[in-house]
Amino acid sequence: MGAQAAEWEWEAFSAAALEAYRAARREEAVHLWQRAGALAREFPAGDPRRAASANNDALALLIDQAHESAAAALTSALAAWDGALDWTGGMAVSPAARSSMFHQRLEQRHVETYGDVRRARHRAFLTGAVALTRFNLGIARLFLDEDAAAETLLEKALAERERAFGPNNGEVAEIARVLSGKADAAEDDARMAQYDDKIRTVAENRATDVLDAWRKEQPHEMTDTRRLLAAAYLTAIVHERDFM
């Protein structure tokens, strides 16, 4: 298989896996994630899709309640995300399509500056995928009775996801729901109310689902932008049915 064919295959497997997992077809999802992971291991070091696959592969361990192994795998996935965030500093960016000829000429004159701004935005967006790995690791830590470490991971995951994807993102509500439950168990009504407000914000005006957003926003060509968006949108969060 050619290198670019493998890239298209990775996307197809990863998107189909996410759909299957959401529909509670766990075995199908795990099989597809494993196929995508095998392809990702051939991608260059730092490629964000390698980190996305490392996260998705680790979900099989969480689903099987192999919490120590899942924690180790997700910790490795976080390290892979560090490499991916560094990768954004050198990623290729293409000029944005604009209706204004003035803006097009301005960008051509200052291509390096515009490129750096866009890379910084891409990096910030990618932290929203890192947040899901951090959340998944937090769940594994909870099952290992490492409550303090889990709390730190979950709170940071919520802040990262909300900052990158906005307060109406569905995964923001999923993370907040776990934190609300923990606050309730601790009889901390003020904190519980804070998290419940975030859940309510999503319920009242939920943002476009990540799979729909991915299909809408993906560039037609296989570019670094497409690679980054694929990783950001196709990183999976463990479903509450597998840990509640």
Side-chain angles (χ1 to χ4, degrees), residues 18-223:
L18 189 52
E19 287 184 315
Y21 183 55
R22 288 175 166 187
R25 301 196 304 272
R26 295 178 183 86
E27 289 186 10
E28 178 185 346
V30 169
H31 172 69
L32 290 165
W33 276 326
Q34 288 172 342
R35 293 189 68 180
L39 294 170
R41 285 188 284 276
E42 301 302 317
F43 296 160
D47 189 307
R49 297 166 300 177
R50 290 176 63 122
S53 271
N55 171 86
N56 296 344
D57 281 343
L59 286 194
L61 298 167
L62 266 184
I63 292 167
D64 288 341
Q65 300 185 358
H67 298 119
E68 286 191 17
S69 297
L74 288 162
T75 299
S76 294
L78 281 180
W81 281 122
D82 287 340
L85 293 172
D86 289 342
W87 172 90
T88 63
M91 67 180 290
V93 293
S94 53
R98 297 179 187 271
S99 57
S100 167
M101 183 62 70
F102 168 76
H103 282 113
Q104 289 178 9
R105 287 177 177 167
L106 188 63
E107 182 161 341
Q108 286 167 3
R109 275 191 217 158
H110 304 283
V111 63
E112 287 189 13
T113 301
Y114 275 90
D116 288 344
V117 169
R118 208 167 295 121
R119 289 184 190 98
R121 289 175 180 166
H122 286 326
R123 177 189 171 93
F125 188 67
L126 199 60
T127 61
V130 182
L132 299 191
T133 300
R134 211 178 299 283
F135 172 81
N136 295 337
L137 179 57
I139 296 300
R141 295 286 182 215
L142 282 177
F143 278 99
L144 294 171
D145 295 324
E146 299 173 9
D147 287 358
E151 187 95 17
T152 299
L153 287 162
L154 295 172
E155 288 179 351
K156 187 170 182 179
L158 179 62
E160 283 179 331
R161 187 70 181 185
E162 186 172 6
R163 188 164 54 247
F165 278 68
N168 303 100
N169 174 255
E171 286 71 29
V172 166
E174 294 181 45
I175 299 169
R177 194 172 292 116
V178 173
L179 284 164
S180 175
K182 283 181 60 58
D184 187 21
E187 299 183 348
D188 189 337
D189 292 343
R191 287 184 65 227
M192 185 174 71
Q194 172 190 342
Y195 298 129
D196 287 348
D197 281 345
K198 294 182 182 296
I199 297 166
R200 194 175 303 111
T201 295
V202 176
E204 291 173 353
N205 184 26
R206 192 181 185 94
T208 303
D209 178 75
V210 290
L211 274 174
D212 292 334
W214 157 240
R215 293 180 180 119
K216 179 181 179 181
E217 295 178 22
Q218 55 186 292
H220 296 302
E221 304 296 328
M222 184 56 68
T223 62

